[in-house]
Structures are given as C-alpha cells and as structure tokens.
C-alpha cells in the first residue's frame, strides 16, 4: 500500500507539459513506425489521424510494416494516398521462415530504412491527437532525452455493447489507467521502467547503439519495456515521461473476454524477463497480495476471523487504489468511470492471479499465433 501512495505522490508531482509558443523550435524529422497484422478495421482511422497532424508533412514519415496480413489492411492504407507513407512487407525480409518475435523484426526493419533522428512507435488500432508530433518534437528538442514514454488510454465510447461487454471494457479501461499512472510515476522518479509501445519514442542512434533487440529477440513480446531496460542501463538519466494531454494516444480495449485474457497473459509473460529487478519485485508483491486476499476469501467460509480480515483487506485495497487513481483519472478525463471501481475489485483479484500464473506457465494466442 505504501508503494501505491508513493506512486500517487510521484504522479501528482509530474508537471503537465505545454508547448512554449514564444520559443521557435526547429522541426526535427520524425519517423513513425507501425507494425500491422490484419488490422483492416482500424488502419484507416489510425493513418488519417497521423495525416491530420499540425506538424509539417515534410518533417515526418510513416513506415507501415505489413506483418503477413491476409486481409485488406495494406489495400486500405494504399487507398488513402498519403504522400509520406511507406509500406514494407515482412515477408520480403523473413520469407516464410518462423521467427520468435515478428513485431520486433518489423520495427527493426523499419528503423533500418527510417530517415528520422527520432523514432516514434504506435499501433495500427490507435488514434493520435493533432498535436501529437509537435508536442513530442518540442519536448525532445528542449530536454534531449534518448527515450520517451507517453500516455495511452482506452476509448470509453461503446454505447452499442451488451452489459457484459461494456462492463469488460470499462474494467479494462480502469485497469489500464492504473498501469498508466504507475508508468508516469515510476519513469519520472526513475524508480523502475514501464512503458507502452503504442506511444513511445527513442532516437535511432540510441536504438542502434544498444544493438536494437539483440538479446531480447527470442521473446515474442517486449518491443517496448525490454528495449527500455536495455537503453536505461546505458542512459539512466536520459529517459523521460511526457505527461501531456496533447499526446494521449487512444486505443481499443479487447472486445471479448478471451481476447482480454490473452492480452494480459502476454503482458504477464514478460515479468521474469526484466533486468530491472525493482519492477519484478513490485509485480511479485502485487501478485502475493492479491493471492493472499483470495486465500483469505476461501478461508472466510470456515472462519469468522478470516471473514473480518477479508473485509479489512478489501476496504484497504479499494481506498488506497482509489486514492491513487483519482488524479490519474482526472488527467485522462475519466473520473465518471470510477463508480465501477468497487464492483470490479473481485474480478481484478482473480484475473491478476490467473493471468500472472498463465503468463509464467501457460501459453497465449497473439495475432493468430500461439506463443508459449
């Protein structure tokens, strides 16, 4: 609980970054990289949001890497007629041979041909705000970091969904928002590493300087935080969190329970791969605490003292986490969703235990591929 309170204090201490329009900053050339696999439903909106940047079109490029798509993803991208869009196909690089991490290979291949000094990654199912690139560029030019983590949120527009699907998506939004708050707090205080590849920037020079994904390319996921680990070892004081509403990237929550669990198991599968032992310790602490609550809940059927202990633990967990989450929700303008926080607690405890266990000992499906 003390860690959660520390996270809250740290989040609140981060200044909201605003562009100083009184200063004329030169326009750095930016390469945006998107790895896409079967994203025909989302790729159009993603690319159009990037095309709509107020940043000069001649100062950035979009590199879309087709990861063996079998739908209309690339046809839709081509139909948009975006002049600074480049499309490369992973099949031209890897052929039909199987590799451990297709996304890392896609990003690495795009960086090899990127013209930008600054690389920004996002996902094909994301929407970016109009000042996204301008804010990134100004922040980079002023502070000169080599790695920038930035906020991501789930869309909360799902009026046509059933009650179960709507509840699942709201739960994901709250859970993900918590992770974003921890990300900002931990990165700003250099307490431990966290980031999300849907909204991430680093310099091409530094990526190449740490030999890219070498040494972590045997792990299917981790194109974000495992790379951050490598860079942090060399540049511990050059990593920043960009807290600005103008760079919040919006993505979609999982549409089904199966998709949700596969995603969370994939995330949990990286837990023992981090070289930053502080985050491993925090994750282990969270897992043990939730497992303790679950065991106490089972014991409460047989013991009154266990029942009262369970109530105390649930109350403590809920109040402390709400205390942390409120300023984060305010930043994302999602305070109304906090009404769902209390009824979501039992599911959060169970899913944390299950996803954590299967992330270590199970397998998951990602983009149609089974990963163990």
């Amino acid at each position: 609980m003390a860690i959660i309170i520390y996270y809250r204090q740290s989040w609140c201490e981060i200044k909201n970054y605003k562009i100083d329009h009184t200063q004329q900053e030169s326009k750095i050339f930016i390469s945006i990289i998107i790895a896409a696999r079967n994203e025909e439903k989302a790729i159009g909106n993603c690319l159009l949001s990037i095309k709509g940047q107020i940043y000069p079109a001649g100062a950035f490029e979009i590199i879309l890497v087709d990861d063996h798509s079998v739908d209309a993803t690339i046809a839709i991208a081509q139909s948009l007629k975006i002049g600074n869009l480049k499309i490369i196909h992973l099949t031209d690089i890897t052929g039909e041979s199987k590799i451990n991490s297709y996304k890392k290979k896609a990003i690495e291949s795009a960086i090899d041909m990127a013209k930008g000094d600054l690389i920004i990654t996002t996902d094909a199912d994301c929407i970016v705000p109009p000042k996204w690139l301008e804010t990134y560029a100004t922040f980079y030019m002023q502070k000169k970091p080599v790695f920038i983590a930035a906020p991501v949120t789930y869309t909360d527009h799902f009026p046509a969904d059933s009650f179960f699907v709507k509840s699942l998506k709201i739960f994901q939004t709250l859970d993900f928002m918590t992770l974003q708050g921890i990300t900002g707090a931990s990165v700003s205080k250099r307490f431990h590493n966290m980031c999300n590849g849907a909204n991430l920037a680093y310099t091409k020079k530094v990526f190449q300087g740490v030999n890219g994904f070498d040494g972590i390319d045997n792990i299917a996921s981790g194109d974000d935080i495992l790379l951050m680990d490598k860079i942090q070892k060399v540049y511990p004081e050059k990593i920043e969190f960009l807290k600005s509403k103008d760079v919040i990237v919006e993505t979609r929550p999982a549409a089904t329970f199966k998709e949700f669990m596969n995603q969370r198991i994939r995330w949990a599968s990286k837990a023992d791969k981090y070289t930053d032992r502080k985050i491993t310790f925090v994750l282990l602490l969270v897992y043990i605490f939730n497992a303790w609550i679950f065991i106490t809940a089972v014991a409460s059927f047989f013991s009154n003292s266990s029942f009262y202990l369970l109530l105390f633990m649930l109350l403590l967990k809920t109040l402390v986490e709400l205390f942390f989450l409120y300023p984060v929700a305010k930043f994302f303008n999602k305070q109304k969703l906090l009404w769902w926080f209390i009824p979501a607690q039992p599911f959060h405890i169970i899913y944390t235990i299950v996803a954590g266990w299967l992330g270590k000992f199970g397998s998951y499906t990602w983009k149609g591929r089974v990963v163990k």
Side-chain angles (χ1 to χ4, degrees):
M1 296 297 105
I3 292 177
I4 297 297
I5 294 172
Y6 173 75
Y7 284 145
R8 184 191 194 275
Q9 179 183 352
S10 301
W11 170 267
C12 293
E13 288 176 358
I14 309 171
K15 293 182 179 179
N16 290 316
Y17 180 76
K18 287 287 186 182
I19 297 174
D20 184 356
H21 291 286
T22 63
Q23 297 182 6
Q24 294 294 323
E25 298 287 348
S26 59
K27 302 298 184 184
I28 185 173
F29 194 89
I30 298 172
S31 294
I32 302 163
I33 295 176
I34 306 169
R37 175 175 167 83
N38 298 333
E39 293 285 0
E40 62 181 6
K41 294 180 180 179
I43 192 63
N45 289 332
C46 175
L47 292 176
L48 288 175
S49 71
I50 298 174
K51 181 182 179 182
Q53 296 294 296
I54 64 172
Y55 203 68
F60 72 94
E61 64 180 352
I62 310 166
I63 305 177
L64 176 63
V65 189
D66 172 32
D67 179 8
H68 300 79
S69 295
V70 293
D71 64 359
T73 298
I74 300 305
I76 292 171
Q78 291 171 332
S79 71
L80 298 176
K81 307 296 183 183
I82 300 175
N84 55 350
L85 172 65
K86 299 176 182 178
I87 299 175
I88 60 177
H89 301 275
L90 206 53
T91 51
D92 296 337
I93 300 164
T94 66
E96 295 302 322
S97 59
K98 292 184 178 181
I99 57 178
N100 291 316
S101 179
Y102 290 88
K103 188 174 182 182
K104 290 194 188 84
K105 189 64 178 179
I107 294 171
E108 190 174 63
S109 301
I111 291 176
D112 285 343
M113 65 177 292
K115 296 190 299 181
D117 297 317
L118 186 65
I119 305 295
I120 299 181
T121 66
T122 191
D123 292 334
D125 59 353
C126 291
I127 302 293
V128 303
K131 294 182 180 180
W132 185 54
L133 292 183
E134 182 189 41
T135 308
Y136 254 122
T138 307
F139 184 82
Y140 172 74
M141 294 298 290
Q142 289 178 356
K143 296 185 178 292
K144 300 297 183 183
V146 300
F147 189 100
I148 305 169
V152 184
T153 189
Y154 283 149
T155 178
D156 55 2
H157 306 298
F158 22 77
D161 290 330
S162 67
F163 177 78
F164 174 78
V165 174
K166 181 178 180 179
S167 300
L168 176 64
K169 290 182 177 180
I170 290 174
F171 173 81
Q172 292 177 73
T173 304
L174 289 169
D175 184 55
F176 192 67
M177 195 159 53
T178 302
L179 295 176
Q180 288 297 299
I182 294 172
T183 296
S186 59
V187 174
S188 68
K189 287 294 187 180
R190 311 196 193 285
F191 180 49
H192 60 70
N193 297 329
M194 277 187 74
C195 61
N196 190 291
N199 199 10
L200 202 61
Y202 41 84
T203 65
K204 179 175 181 178
K205 181 179 179 181
V206 164
F207 179 84
Q208 294 173 333
V210 299
N211 296 317
F213 297 118
D214 285 358
I216 56 174
D217 53 357
N218 62 319
I219 305 164
S221 59
D223 54 278
D224 41 25
I225 190 169
L226 296 183
L227 175 64
M228 186 183 191
D229 278 351
K230 291 186 69 176
I231 293 174
Q232 191 272 339
K233 284 183 176 180
V234 184
Y235 302 95
E237 302 300 320
K238 289 287 188 176
I239 295 176
E240 299 283 350
F241 181 79
L242 175 49
K243 185 182 180 183
S244 169
K245 291 179 181 291
D246 291 328
V247 297
I248 297 175
V249 166
E250 188 174 270
T251 189
R252 300 172 301 171
T256 65
F257 181 75
K258 181 179 180 181
E259 183 184 343
F260 162 70
M261 286 304 297
N262 270 298
Q263 181 191 64
R264 292 311 202 264
I265 293 168
R266 173 167 62 88
W267 291 357
S269 69
K270 297 178 287 187
D272 60 350
K273 307 297 190 302
Y274 302 137
T275 57
D276 181 357
R277 294 307 174 193
K278 290 190 292 294
I279 187 173
T280 304
F281 172 75
V282 169
L283 291 173
L284 181 61
L285 208 61
V286 170
Y287 189 87
I288 291 173
F289 182 69
N290 282 279
W292 183 28
I293 293 177
F294 180 78
I295 293 170
T296 304
V298 174
S300 68
F301 286 99
F302 310 98
S303 166
N304 288 334
S305 60
S306 295
F307 176 74
Y308 292 125
L309 177 60
L310 174 65
L311 291 180
F312 172 75
M313 293 169 69
L314 286 174
L315 181 63
L316 179 65
K317 180 179 187 294
T318 303
L319 291 177
V320 172
E321 290 179 357
L322 271 175
F323 180 66
F324 161 71
L325 194 54
Y326 181 78
V328 182
K330 189 175 181 180
F331 171 77
F332 287 105
N333 196 29
K334 295 184 184 296
Q335 303 97 306
K336 292 181 180 179
L337 295 184
L338 293 178
W339 290 107
W340 292 75
F341 188 78
I342 295 175
Q345 284 294 320
F347 181 59
H348 180 263
I349 294 166
I350 295 170
Y351 118 79
T352 299
I353 296 169
V354 173
W357 181 266
L358 293 179
K360 175 64 178 177
F361 301 106
S363 62
Y364 58 90
T365 302
W366 186 24
K367 299 290 185 179
R369 298 172 176 131
V370 177
V371 182
K372 295 183 179 181

Coordinates of all heavy atoms in Angstrom, one line a residue, residues 87-132:
I87 N 5.4 1.7 -47.2 CA 4.9 0.4 -46.8 C 5.9 -0.7 -47.1 O 6.5 -0.7 -48.3 CB 3.6 0.0 -47.5 CG1 2.5 1.0 -47.2 CG2 3.1 -1.4 -47.2 CD1 1.2 0.8 -47.9
I88 N 6.3 -1.5 -46.1 CA 7.2 -2.6 -46.4 C 6.6 -3.9 -45.9 O 5.7 -3.8 -45.0 CB 8.6 -2.4 -45.7 CG1 8.4 -2.2 -44.2 CG2 9.3 -1.1 -46.2 CD1 9.8 -2.1 -43.4
H89 N 7.0 -4.9 -46.5 CA 6.3 -6.2 -46.2 C 7.3 -7.1 -45.5 O 8.5 -7.3 -46.0 CB 5.8 -6.9 -47.5 CG 4.8 -6.1 -48.2 ND1 3.5 -6.1 -47.9 CD2 5.0 -5.2 -49.2 CE1 2.8 -5.3 -48.7 NE2 3.7 -4.7 -49.5
L90 N 7.0 -7.7 -44.4 CA 7.9 -8.5 -43.6 C 8.2 -9.8 -44.3 O 9.3 -10.3 -44.1 CB 7.2 -8.8 -42.2 CG 8.2 -9.2 -41.1 CD1 9.2 -8.1 -40.9 CD2 7.4 -9.4 -39.8
T91 N 7.3 -10.2 -45.2 CA 7.6 -11.4 -46.0 C 8.8 -11.2 -46.9 O 9.5 -12.2 -47.2 CB 6.4 -11.8 -46.8 OG1 5.9 -10.7 -47.6 CG2 5.3 -12.4 -46.0
D92 N 9.0 -10.0 -47.3 CA 10.2 -9.7 -48.2 C 11.5 -9.8 -47.4 O 12.6 -9.9 -48.0 CB 10.1 -8.3 -48.8 CG 8.9 -8.1 -49.7 OD1 8.4 -9.1 -50.2 OD2 8.4 -7.0 -49.9
I93 N 11.4 -9.7 -46.1 CA 12.6 -9.8 -45.2 C 12.8 -11.1 -44.6 O 13.9 -11.7 -44.6 CB 12.5 -8.7 -44.1 CG1 12.3 -7.3 -44.7 CG2 13.7 -8.7 -43.2 CD1 11.8 -6.3 -43.8
T94 N 11.7 -11.7 -44.1 CA 11.9 -13.0 -43.4 C 11.5 -14.2 -44.3 O 11.7 -15.4 -43.9 CB 11.0 -13.0 -42.1 OG1 9.6 -12.9 -42.5 CG2 11.3 -11.8 -41.3
G95 N 10.8 -13.9 -45.4 CA 10.2 -15.0 -46.2 C 9.1 -15.7 -45.4 O 8.4 -15.1 -44.6
E96 N 9.0 -17.0 -45.5 CA 8.0 -17.8 -44.8 C 8.6 -18.4 -43.5 O 7.9 -19.2 -42.9 CB 7.4 -18.8 -45.7 CG 6.6 -18.2 -46.8 CD 5.5 -17.3 -46.4 OE1 4.8 -17.6 -45.3 OE2 5.2 -16.3 -47.0
S97 N 9.9 -18.2 -43.2 CA 10.5 -18.8 -42.1 C 9.9 -18.2 -40.8 O 9.5 -17.1 -40.7 CB 12.0 -18.5 -42.1 OG 12.3 -17.1 -42.1
K98 N 9.8 -19.1 -39.8 CA 9.3 -18.7 -38.5 C 10.3 -18.0 -37.6 O 11.5 -18.5 -37.6 CB 8.7 -19.9 -37.7 CG 7.4 -20.5 -38.4 CD 6.9 -21.6 -37.5 CE 5.6 -22.2 -38.2 NZ 5.0 -23.3 -37.3
I99 N 10.0 -16.9 -37.0 CA 10.9 -16.2 -36.1 C 10.2 -16.0 -34.7 O 9.0 -16.2 -34.6 CB 11.3 -14.8 -36.6 CG1 10.1 -14.0 -36.9 CG2 12.1 -15.0 -37.9 CD1 10.4 -12.6 -37.4
N100 N 11.0 -15.7 -33.7 CA 10.4 -15.6 -32.4 C 9.5 -14.4 -32.1 O 8.5 -14.5 -31.5 CB 11.6 -15.6 -31.3 CG 12.3 -16.9 -31.3 OD1 11.6 -18.0 -31.3 ND2 13.6 -16.9 -31.3
S101 N 10.0 -13.2 -32.7 CA 9.2 -12.0 -32.5 C 9.0 -11.3 -33.8 O 9.9 -10.6 -34.3 CB 9.9 -11.1 -31.4 OG 9.1 -9.9 -31.3
Y102 N 7.8 -11.4 -34.4 CA 7.6 -10.7 -35.6 C 7.5 -9.2 -35.5 O 8.0 -8.5 -36.3 CB 6.2 -11.3 -36.2 CG 6.3 -12.7 -36.7 CD1 6.1 -13.8 -35.8 CD2 6.7 -13.0 -38.0 CE1 6.1 -15.1 -36.2 CE2 6.7 -14.3 -38.4 CZ 6.5 -15.4 -37.5 OH 6.5 -16.7 -38.0
K103 N 6.9 -8.8 -34.4 CA 6.8 -7.3 -34.2 C 8.2 -6.6 -34.0 O 8.4 -5.6 -34.6 CB 5.9 -7.0 -33.0 CG 5.6 -5.5 -32.9 CD 4.6 -5.2 -31.8 CE 4.3 -3.7 -31.8 NZ 3.3 -3.3 -30.7
K104 N 9.1 -7.3 -33.3 CA 10.4 -6.7 -33.1 C 11.1 -6.7 -34.5 O 11.8 -5.7 -34.8 CB 11.2 -7.5 -32.1 CG 10.8 -7.4 -30.7 CD 11.8 -8.0 -29.7 CE 11.3 -8.0 -28.3 NZ 10.6 -9.2 -28.0
K105 N 11.0 -7.7 -35.2 CA 11.6 -7.7 -36.6 C 11.0 -6.7 -37.5 O 11.7 -6.0 -38.2 CB 11.4 -9.1 -37.2 CG 12.2 -9.3 -38.5 CD 13.7 -9.3 -38.2 CE 14.6 -9.5 -39.4 NZ 16.0 -9.4 -39.2
A106 N 9.7 -6.4 -37.4 CA 9.1 -5.4 -38.2 C 9.6 -4.0 -37.8 O 9.9 -3.2 -38.7 CB 7.6 -5.5 -37.9
I107 N 9.7 -3.7 -36.5 CA 10.2 -2.4 -36.1 C 11.7 -2.3 -36.4 O 12.1 -1.2 -36.9 CB 10.0 -2.3 -34.5 CG1 8.5 -2.2 -34.2 CG2 10.7 -1.0 -34.0 CD1 8.2 -2.3 -32.7
E108 N 12.4 -3.3 -36.2 CA 13.9 -3.2 -36.6 C 14.1 -3.0 -38.0 O 14.9 -2.2 -38.4 CB 14.5 -4.5 -36.1 CG 16.0 -4.6 -36.2 CD 16.6 -5.9 -35.6 OE1 16.3 -6.9 -36.2 OE2 17.3 -5.8 -34.6
S109 N 13.3 -3.6 -38.9 CA 13.4 -3.5 -40.3 C 13.0 -2.1 -40.7 O 13.7 -1.5 -41.6 CB 12.5 -4.5 -41.0 OG 12.9 -5.8 -40.7
A110 N 12.0 -1.5 -40.1 CA 11.6 -0.1 -40.4 C 12.6 0.9 -40.0 O 12.9 1.9 -40.7 CB 10.3 0.2 -39.7
I111 N 13.3 0.7 -38.8 CA 14.3 1.6 -38.3 C 15.5 1.6 -39.3 O 16.1 2.6 -39.5 CB 14.7 1.2 -36.9 CG1 13.5 1.5 -35.9 CG2 16.0 2.0 -36.5 CD1 13.8 1.1 -34.5
D112 N 15.8 0.5 -39.8 CA 16.9 0.4 -40.8 C 16.8 1.3 -41.9 O 17.7 1.9 -42.5 CB 17.1 -1.1 -41.3 CG 17.7 -2.0 -40.3 OD1 18.3 -1.5 -39.3 OD2 17.6 -3.2 -40.4
M113 N 15.5 1.5 -42.4 CA 15.3 2.4 -43.5 C 14.7 3.8 -43.1 O 14.5 4.6 -44.0 CB 14.3 1.7 -44.5 CG 12.9 1.6 -43.9 SD 11.7 0.8 -45.2 CE 11.6 2.2 -46.3
A114 N 14.6 4.0 -41.8 CA 14.0 5.3 -41.4 C 15.0 6.4 -41.6 O 16.2 6.3 -41.4 CB 13.6 5.2 -39.9
K115 N 14.4 7.6 -42.0 CA 15.2 8.8 -42.2 C 15.3 9.7 -40.9 O 16.1 10.6 -40.8 CB 14.7 9.6 -43.4 CG 14.7 8.9 -44.7 CD 14.4 9.9 -45.8 CE 13.0 10.4 -45.7 NZ 12.7 11.3 -46.8
G116 N 14.4 9.4 -40.0 CA 14.2 10.3 -38.9 C 15.3 10.1 -37.8 O 15.7 9.0 -37.6
D117 N 15.7 11.2 -37.2 CA 16.5 11.1 -36.0 C 15.8 10.6 -34.8 O 16.3 9.9 -33.9 CB 17.1 12.5 -35.6 CG 18.0 13.0 -36.7 OD1 18.8 12.2 -37.3 OD2 17.9 14.2 -37.0
L118 N 14.4 10.9 -34.8 CA 13.6 10.4 -33.7 C 12.6 9.4 -34.2 O 11.9 9.7 -35.2 CB 12.8 11.6 -33.1 CG 12.0 11.3 -31.8 CD1 12.9 10.9 -30.7 CD2 11.1 12.6 -31.5
I119 N 12.5 8.3 -33.5 CA 11.6 7.2 -33.9 C 10.4 7.2 -32.9 O 10.6 7.3 -31.7 CB 12.3 5.8 -33.8 CG1 13.5 5.8 -34.7 CG2 11.3 4.7 -34.2 CD1 13.3 5.9 -36.1
I120 N 9.2 7.2 -33.5 CA 8.0 7.1 -32.6 C 7.2 5.9 -33.1 O 7.0 5.7 -34.3 CB 7.1 8.3 -32.7 CG1 7.9 9.6 -32.3 CG2 5.8 8.2 -31.9 CD1 7.0 10.9 -32.3
T121 N 6.9 5.0 -32.1 CA 6.1 3.8 -32.5 C 4.7 4.0 -31.9 O 4.4 4.6 -30.9 CB 6.7 2.6 -31.9 OG1 6.6 2.6 -30.4 CG2 8.2 2.4 -32.3
T122 N 3.7 3.5 -32.7 CA 2.4 3.3 -32.3 C 1.8 2.1 -32.9 O 2.5 1.4 -33.6 CB 1.5 4.6 -32.6 OG1 0.3 4.5 -31.9 CG2 1.3 4.7 -34.1
D123 N 0.5 1.7 -32.6 CA -0.1 0.5 -33.1 C -1.2 0.9 -34.1 O -1.7 2.0 -34.1 CB -0.7 -0.3 -31.9 CG 0.4 -0.9 -31.0 OD1 1.5 -1.1 -31.5 OD2 0.1 -1.1 -29.8
A124 N -1.5 -0.1 -34.9 CA -2.4 0.1 -36.0 C -3.8 0.4 -35.5 O -4.7 0.9 -36.3 CB -2.4 -1.1 -37.0
D125 N -4.2 0.0 -34.3 CA -5.5 0.2 -33.8 C -5.6 1.5 -32.9 O -6.5 1.6 -32.1 CB -6.0 -1.0 -33.0 CG -5.1 -1.3 -31.9 OD1 -4.1 -0.7 -31.7 OD2 -5.5 -2.2 -31.1
C126 N -4.6 2.4 -33.1 CA -4.6 3.6 -32.3 C -5.0 4.8 -33.0 O -4.9 4.9 -34.3 CB -3.1 3.8 -31.8 SG -2.6 2.6 -30.5
I127 N -5.5 5.8 -32.3 CA -5.8 7.2 -32.8 C -4.9 8.2 -32.1 O -4.9 8.1 -30.8 CB -7.3 7.5 -32.6 CG1 -8.2 6.5 -33.3 CG2 -7.6 8.9 -33.2 CD1 -8.1 6.4 -34.8
V128 N -4.3 9.0 -32.8 CA -3.4 10.0 -32.2 C -4.0 11.4 -32.3 O -4.6 11.7 -33.3 CB -1.9 10.0 -32.8 CG1 -1.4 8.6 -32.7 CG2 -2.0 10.4 -34.2
P129 N -3.7 12.3 -31.3 CA -4.3 13.6 -31.3 C -3.5 14.6 -32.3 O -2.3 14.3 -32.6 CB -4.1 14.1 -29.9 CG -3.0 13.3 -29.3 CD -3.0 12.0 -30.0
P130 N -4.1 15.7 -32.7 CA -3.5 16.5 -33.7 C -2.1 17.1 -33.3 O -1.3 17.4 -34.2 CB -4.5 17.7 -33.9 CG -5.8 17.1 -33.5 CD -5.5 16.1 -32.4
K131 N -1.9 17.4 -32.0 CA -0.6 18.0 -31.6 C 0.4 16.9 -31.2 O 1.4 17.3 -30.5 CB -0.9 19.0 -30.5 CG -1.7 20.2 -30.9 CD -1.9 21.1 -29.7 CE -2.7 22.4 -30.1 NZ -2.9 23.3 -29.0
W132 N 0.2 15.7 -31.5 CA 1.0 14.6 -31.0 C 2.5 14.8 -31.4 O 3.3 14.8 -30.6 CB 0.4 13.3 -31.7 CG 1.1 12.0 -31.2 CD1 1.2 11.5 -30.0 CD2 1.5 11.0 -32.2 NE1 1.8 10.2 -30.0 CE2 2.0 9.9 -31.3 CE3 1.6 10.8 -33.5 CZ2 2.5 8.7 -31.9 CZ3 2.1 9.7 -34.1 CH2 2.6 8.6 -33.3

